[in-house]
Amino acid sequence: MITLQDVRVEFGGRTVLAGVDLDIARGEAVALVGPNGAGKTTLLRCLVGLVRCRGRIAIDGIDTAVDPVGARRRLGYMPQVPAFCEETARRSLAFVAKLRGAPLDRIDALLDLVGLAGDARRPVRDFSTGMRQRLLLAAALVGDPPLLVLDEPTASLDRAAQAEIVALLRRLRDGGTTLLLCSHRSEEIRAIARRVVEVEQGRVVADAPLEVEHAPAPMRLLPLERAVGALP
Amino acid sequence: MRPRIVLLLAGRELRAAVRTRWFLVGAVAFTLLALAVAGLGVAGTRAWGISALDRTSAAMLNLVLLFVPLLTLPLGAGSFAGELEEGTLPYLAAQPVTRAELFCGKLFGLQAATTLSLLLGFGAAAIWIGAHGAVESRAFLALVGGAAALGVVTTTLGVLLSVAARTRARSLAAAIGAWLALVFLCDFGVLALAAAQAFGPNALFTIALANPLQSAKTLCALAISERLEILGPAGIEAVRTFGRPLLAALLAGGLALWAAGGGAAAWLVFKRRHLA
């Protein structure tokens, strides 16, 4: 589903990604972990075309440098900072649907899926942070992309809102959607991801499956115990 | 590039620009000032029998030269840098659109917004003048066209500042600096060169036209009045050298070059930069 080969990024002479190689299969749920400044968010931004990089990135076999539109059509992106294109929730989703060439008749179902059906015509500026995050997730799902790229999907949410987002993402994962997220929350990673990739100083330093969902306490964390366990 | 996507993005940009306070205040202020200028022009006709259009167009031209860059430079400057800070620009860029579609959509939407605000002001003034006296439509339309062309150029220059600056604050500061330079400093420079007698009238005129405001001013003046005095000595010399039609074509071409050059420079910066 995703292939990254020798992906490198420099900002003003500072190396942010120093040759990342990664393969993610269709249907996998992968979490990027690592300290602040490790390069996790930059890696996601390279994937969605926001950061110029060297190396090769392919999504579903489509090289992002050759056909960026075709590659991005196969992914939905949920940024960390909520950003919307229109005044109301419904119009925001409709605009994204038009950009993606997706049918407009699924919008109400998406709003219902994230629990915002009753707020469809309210201005987004009146939404709480949790509502905005859910709307972002709905926008990422417009057009049913097979891959979701999620940057800190539950950042700045209270526990109830976190649980809602996590439950939604688990349903999507179980439905076969490929998930790639970066997060600092260990419980979120444990609940969603099946594989954890640790990034440090712009390199992948560990990559292993995470089998914690059905594990008895203490959790059976594989080689990434250190990375995930150190998270708050 | 897909025209449907560019139109979609331009429509969003137009709606977003129209919702900004700067646009609303600017459009309302321009409309009120245009109405005031039109009212004074009509009053002059009644009192002294002077053509309402001549007075109105001359005063309106000065209003355009001061106001259009002041409205459009910050509007363009706040667009890319502001949306980059808010996260809207990266969000749009992460959708299945090309950078070129995103850039053109935003640029055309902004240009449409500034043209709309100018048309509102001019439209109100035209209605006022039309209700109180005869309107000579050719000169008035030429003034509207010159103002719209200037608006397109200065919006594009604002966009260039916006994509080059890393923050909205910096791009807005640069826009105010550009406004001061275009409206005042360039004229002072030309005056200083004239005082130093370093160049002849034709050379001075050419140097003055390096400022798009001066090009728009001369173009509008050519259309408004048959009298050459309002163009000044250098302008008179230019009319003698090129003739009115060729000079008008050169000035319009110069403005088009400013818009195309500014847009191309902004695109070159935008397509290379990280949107994060």
Side-chain angles (χ1 to χ4, degrees):
Chain A
M1 185 79 212
I2 304 174
T3 304
L4 295 105
Q5 290 173 344
D6 196 26
V7 174
R8 294 169 183 272
V9 172
E10 283 188 5
F11 288 148
R14 187 173 65 88
T15 300
V16 181
L17 293 179
V20 172
D21 293 291
L22 191 63
D23 277 299
I24 296 172
R26 184 177 283 268
E28 273 198 292
V30 179
L32 296 177
V33 298
N36 286 332
K40 310 181 296 293
T41 293
T42 302
L43 195 59
L44 297 189
R45 287 174 175 168
C46 287
L47 202 65
V48 298
L50 301 181
V51 169
R52 301 295 193 198
C53 61
R54 283 180 285 160
R56 179 175 178 270
I57 299 176
I59 297 168
D60 239 359
I62 301 171
D63 193 319
T64 57
V66 177
D67 181 8
V69 171
R72 284 203 287 274
R73 210 182 288 285
R74 282 159 177 76
L75 66 84
Y77 176 51
M78 184 176 171
Q80 188 177 347
V81 179
F84 299 99
C85 307
E86 295 289 350
E87 286 268 277
T88 68
R90 197 174 198 292
R91 282 188 187 165
S92 290
L93 292 196
F95 182 75
V96 172
K98 287 175 190 166
L99 279 185
R100 301 185 72 93
L104 296 175
D105 55 10
R106 283 263 297 135
I107 288 171
D108 290 327
L110 282 173
L111 285 168
D112 194 35
L113 179 74
V114 297
L116 292 174
D119 302 288
R121 294 180 199 287
R122 275 182 63 197
V124 178
R125 64 174 178 273
D126 294 344
F127 279 17
S128 67
T129 311
M131 292 166 81
R132 288 177 190 213
Q133 291 290 102
R134 281 186 279 152
L135 183 59
L136 271 184
L137 181 56
L141 292 170
V142 169
D144 293 323
L147 165 65
L148 282 185
V149 177
L150 312 148
D151 190 356
E152 302 278 1
T154 63
S156 68
L157 296 184
D158 59 33
R159 293 193 76 83
Q162 279 175 37
E164 286 176 27
I165 296 276
V166 167
L168 270 170
L169 291 175
R170 284 170 62 121
R171 278 169 60 189
L172 290 165
R173 178 200 66 189
D174 295 342
T177 302
T178 308
L179 302 179
L180 175 61
L181 71 146
C182 78
S183 176
H184 282 106
R185 295 175 189 272
S186 58
E187 67 272 28
E188 176 180 300
I189 293 167
R190 289 187 181 104
I192 300 167
R194 296 268 168 80
R195 177 182 162 195
V196 177
V197 173
E198 187 182 3
V199 181
E200 206 171 294
Q201 294 185 327
R203 294 176 194 279
V204 172
V205 293
D207 181 350
L210 182 64
E211 297 171 25
V212 296
E213 271 188 288
H214 310 293
M219 285 192 214
R220 254 187 319 117
L221 291 177
L222 292 174
L224 289 165
E225 184 177 8
R226 178 177 51 84
V228 179
L231 295 170
Chain B
M1 191 159 11
R2 296 164 296 172
R4 185 185 71 84
I5 297 295
V6 174
L7 277 176
L8 202 58
L9 290 164
R12 190 207 78 91
E13 191 66 29
L14 175 62
R15 289 191 295 277
V18 166
R19 283 197 296 262
T20 61
R21 284 202 189 107
W22 184 260
F23 178 89
L24 289 173
V25 170
V28 169
F30 183 70
T31 304
L32 291 177
L33 286 169
L35 279 172
V37 166
L40 289 171
V42 170
T45 308
R46 285 181 184 154
W48 303 298
I50 302 167
S51 158
L53 184 82
D54 269 5
R55 289 177 61 83
T56 307
S57 297
M60 200 80 86
L61 178 55
N62 285 324
L63 177 65
V64 162
L65 293 172
L66 271 176
F67 207 88
V68 170
L70 186 60
L71 174 70
T72 55
L73 277 168
L75 193 70
S79 62
F80 284 74
E83 289 205 335
L84 186 61
E85 281 183 356
E86 289 163 9
T88 317
L89 187 64
Y91 185 70
L92 285 171
Q95 302 303 323
V97 300
T98 64
R99 285 257 175 132
E101 287 165 348
L102 181 56
F103 177 80
C104 289
K106 285 184 69 66
L107 181 63
F108 296 159
L110 282 169
Q111 289 173 343
T114 54
T115 305
L116 179 70
S117 74
L118 295 176
L119 289 180
L120 279 176
F122 278 120
I127 290 168
W128 180 271
I129 299 167
H132 293 84
V135 175
E136 207 239 297
S137 56
R138 191 189 66 84
F140 197 78
L141 284 178
L143 183 62
V144 175
L150 179 62
V152 166
V153 170
T154 46
T155 303
T156 308
L157 293 179
V159 164
L160 174 59
L161 297 174
S162 193
V163 295
R166 292 216 165 265
T167 63
R168 186 204 297 257
R170 280 185 195 173
S171 64
L172 289 177
I176 298 301
W179 179 75
L180 284 171
L182 290 174
V183 174
F184 298 112
L185 298 181
C186 286
D187 276 357
F188 291 154
V190 173
L191 280 174
L193 288 174
Q197 295 185 324
F199 299 97
N202 269 340
L204 269 181
F205 188 69
T206 309
I207 291 168
L209 293 187
N211 179 353
L213 253 71
Q214 199 64 40
S215 295
K217 179 182 174 181
T218 311
L219 187 61
C220 290
L222 275 175
I224 289 169
S225 177
E226 292 298 317
R227 288 172 295 184
L228 292 180
E229 306 90 81
I230 62 170
L231 295 174
I236 293 169
E237 187 64 28
V239 172
R240 283 185 188 144
T241 306
F242 300 110
R244 274 178 177 263
L246 182 57
L247 182 59
L250 284 173
L251 292 167
L255 284 175
L257 265 181
W258 265 104
W267 163 243
L268 286 175
V269 176
F270 181 69
K271 78 172 184 178
R272 283 183 174 83
R273 73 170 298 175
H274 301 300
L275 296 181

